[in-house]
Amino acid sequence: MTRHLPACLLILGTVVVAGAYGQGPPPPPPNFVIILADDLGYADVGFNGCRDIPTPHLDAIAANGVRCAQAYASHPFCSPSRAGLLTGRYQQRFGHENNPVYDPDDEQSGLPVSQILLPQMIHGEGYISGAIGKWHLGAAERFHPLNRGFDEFFGFLGGGHQYFPERLGGRTEYTTDLIREREPIKETEYLTDAFSREAVAFIDRRHARRFCLYLAFNAPHTPLQAPPRYLERFASIQDEKRRTYAAMVSALDDGVGRVLDALRRHHIEESTLVFFLSDNGGPVGERSNGSDNRPLRDGKGTTYEGGVRVPFAACWKGVIPAGIVYEPMVSALDIAATIRSQARATVDQDFDGVDLVPYWTRERSGPPHPALYWRTGGGTTFGLRVDALKVVIPPDGTPRLFDLAADASERRDVAADHTEVLRGLLRLRDAWNRQMIQPVFPGRSAKPPARPAAPG
Ligand code: CA
């Protein structure tokens, strides 16, 4: 397809690496830590240029490893994005395209049990896996993390939560007590601090053998809540929403610092691969949490760049060269494929992601993905990127075409100037769609939205 595109619309990804990595025998299978933020804006980390919210610990991941400038979630909102992350497959392949309604009695709304999840992929290689934080992949018992391959769980099963412990103890999605394994517990800390504490405790308990930690903070997803000790850091931010958001991001960054410190303390930095990313872009407009996706267009719920391009960094001391900026597009779908490969697991799974480590170490060249695709609501919106060309089909059904090389903010629709190119890209869309199925559970976002941004 790409050979039919005008040369002016092509961009070649550039890879900047330092050091002679990728030589010699492969490193032993490492531990894995996946740190997920929720609704974090693309521009809201220091390693992507943020100025008003210091994120020294997140920046340290990028400085000690790789920053992926064009990394994408597989979905512009929470639950389907997580389904893609934990399977390494486009979640539309198995009909997980909506946010499940929170209902412990609903046996349909959750990540289909036909799918193999990340901890199941590597269990045979001796990995102990822990999930901490937000689950949002089904509230019924059959979808519980402990029934999906995780050995430990601490967190909540819904799509978001109250942060202050005195607001917990209710029966609704956001107010339930936190759960340890399957039992409700009485939490006493600010939620983000509690998840950081549990992550450190998991590493302290499990560092002597191979482990995989999935640390899914719900910060900085709404409700916007932060205690004074974090708010005080941002007294200079006038906008109240942005100030609280900044405090929430700062608490998350502190927690990441505690996790990185635990790895140092146990001398396992060289045997641990750490990923950090957001599950989707920051919400904008009425639903904004104070996040900033600039210079990207729009936000959560849309297939514009602001909805799907996310902050992404990874480090593995001694294996991934420090300070790389990796430009070709990568996907959150690559994380499971990378972990399966680096753990040398042999589970039979058709991944849409690829092992990124050889790209970062320069053993492999060229872009990891010829194309990436996004679809919501069974086709309500669509997105496709090939090289620097991006097709966006919003709910009105009219395809837009953007050249991200010249127009990163997707301001100038060039569809009318390149009708043949667009037709070719839409044929790719049709071919991809034929491999997918329709949503298997309706969820909240299947109800006709007042606007395209989806809740959750
Ligand atoms: Ca989210």
Side-chain angles (χ1 to χ4, degrees):
M1 171 59 214
T2 54
R3 69 180 183 276
H4 301 302
L5 304 179
C8 65
L9 288 177
L10 293 176
I11 179 176
L12 292 174
T14 55
V15 186
V16 184
V17 297
Y21 288 79
Q23 312 294 323
N31 307 304
F32 303 103
V33 177
I34 305 163
I35 304 170
L36 190 64
D38 194 351
D39 292 8
L40 180 66
Y42 180 79
D44 290 330
V45 290
F47 67 77
N48 278 353
C50 184
R51 293 187 172 191
D52 59 344
I53 312 173
T55 56
H57 303 296
L58 294 173
D59 299 350
I61 297 175
N64 294 323
V66 56
R67 168 174 85 88
C68 292
Q70 305 190 68
Y72 292 93
S74 65
H75 210 82
F77 55 84
C78 298
S79 181
S81 171
R82 287 149 203 266
L85 173 67
L86 290 179
T87 59
R89 310 183 73 210
Y90 281 116
Q91 57 281 353
Q92 294 88 351
R93 290 192 186 280
F94 47 90
H96 194 134
E97 208 166 329
N98 292 307
N99 279 333
V101 171
Y102 177 78
D103 180 357
D105 295 323
D106 185 339
E107 303 271 324
Q108 289 303 312
S109 297
L111 207 172
V113 295
S114 59
Q115 300 302 303
I116 301 171
L117 267 60
L118 180 56
Q120 296 167 316
M121 295 173 200
I122 57 177
H123 186 75
E125 277 56 49
Y127 282 85
I128 291 290
S129 297
I132 294 171
K134 165 170 161 175
W135 183 239
H136 206 197
L137 293 169
E141 176 61 21
R142 66 201 303 245
F143 302 122
H144 192 285
L146 297 183
N147 285 331
R148 307 309 303 271
F150 285 100
D151 301 288
E152 297 188 13
F153 174 64
F154 179 91
F156 60 88
L157 297 173
H161 228 68
Q162 294 286 323
Y163 289 87
F164 293 129
E166 58 270 25
R167 298 190 184 187
L168 305 183
R171 292 174 173 271
T172 60
E173 180 175 17
Y174 277 47
T175 64
T176 61
D177 276 321
L178 297 186
I179 298 168
R180 186 183 301 285
E181 315 304 2
R182 288 187 172 83
E183 298 302 317
I185 57 108
K186 281 298 168 196
E187 180 53 59
T188 58
E189 288 198 84
Y190 177 59
L191 215 58
T192 300
D193 294 342
F195 294 150
S196 304
R197 176 197 72 216
E198 294 295 323
V200 170
F202 176 87
I203 295 169
D204 286 345
R205 272 196 309 278
R206 301 296 189 181
H207 68 91
R209 59 180 291 186
R210 290 177 187 169
F211 68 81
C212 176
L213 172 60
Y214 171 59
L215 173 55
F217 288 106
N218 57 315
H221 190 294
T222 55
L224 290 171
Q225 296 169 349
R229 67 180 173 283
Y230 294 119
L231 285 167
E232 283 161 4
R233 298 176 182 178
F234 300 98
S236 62
I237 297 180
Q238 296 301 310
D239 181 85
E240 190 180 344
K241 189 182 270 191
R242 178 73 177 173
R243 184 164 66 244
T244 309
Y245 173 87
M248 295 168 76
V249 173
S250 196
L252 186 157
D253 185 72
D254 273 19
V256 171
R258 291 166 67 182
V259 168
L260 297 178
D261 182 61
L263 300 179
R264 263 191 302 274
R265 206 159 27 82
H266 293 297
H267 307 290
I268 52 174
E269 286 177 291
E270 296 187 0
S271 56
T272 305
L273 170 52
V274 180
F275 296 93
F276 171 77
L277 72 163
S278 180
D279 69 333
N280 49 255
V284 300
E286 284 178 17
R287 290 183 177 276
S288 170
N289 57 352
S291 57
D292 184 354
N293 299 316
R294 286 178 291 179
L296 308 180
R297 177 169 175 175
D298 218 319
K300 175 179 178 177
T302 77
T303 56
Y304 288 107
E305 290 288 280
V308 290
R309 201 197 288 192
V310 293
F312 188 115
C315 65
W316 182 3
K317 191 175 180 182
V319 175
I320 301 173
I324 303 176
V325 179
Y326 189 73
E327 292 285 354
M329 59 181 178
V330 304
S331 169
L333 301 175
D334 297 330
I335 290 175
T338 299
I339 289 177
R340 194 276 299 260
S341 170
Q342 294 301 321
R344 313 223 184 107
T346 54
V347 65
D348 187 22
Q349 176 93 310
D350 290 329
F351 288 106
D352 290 303
V354 299
D355 182 0
L356 291 174
V357 172
Y359 291 93
W360 293 333
T361 59
R362 244 177 159 175
E363 288 166 90
R364 282 192 173 176
S365 57
H369 296 278
L372 289 176
Y373 302 83
W374 300 270
R375 189 182 82 180
T376 68
T380 309
T381 69
F382 194 86
L384 159 63
R385 181 174 170 184
V386 175
D387 291 316
L389 290 176
K390 174 91 179 287
V391 175
V392 174
I393 308 179
D396 69 12
T398 304
R400 274 78 157 170
L401 179 65
F402 302 100
D403 171 16
L404 296 179
D407 178 24
S409 301
E410 297 172 303
R411 290 182 195 281
R412 201 169 79 83
D413 176 10
V414 296
D417 303 329
H418 301 282
T419 52
E420 272 306 306
V421 170
L422 180 60
R423 254 195 290 276
L425 292 170
L426 292 178
R427 281 195 294 273
L428 284 182
R429 185 266 317 253
D430 295 340
W432 183 84
N433 261 335
R434 283 193 290 273
Q435 300 176 49
M436 307 297 140
I437 64 173
Q438 282 298 296
V440 296
F441 59 87
R444 289 181 300 190
S445 53
K447 295 171 184 170
R451 62 186 300 276

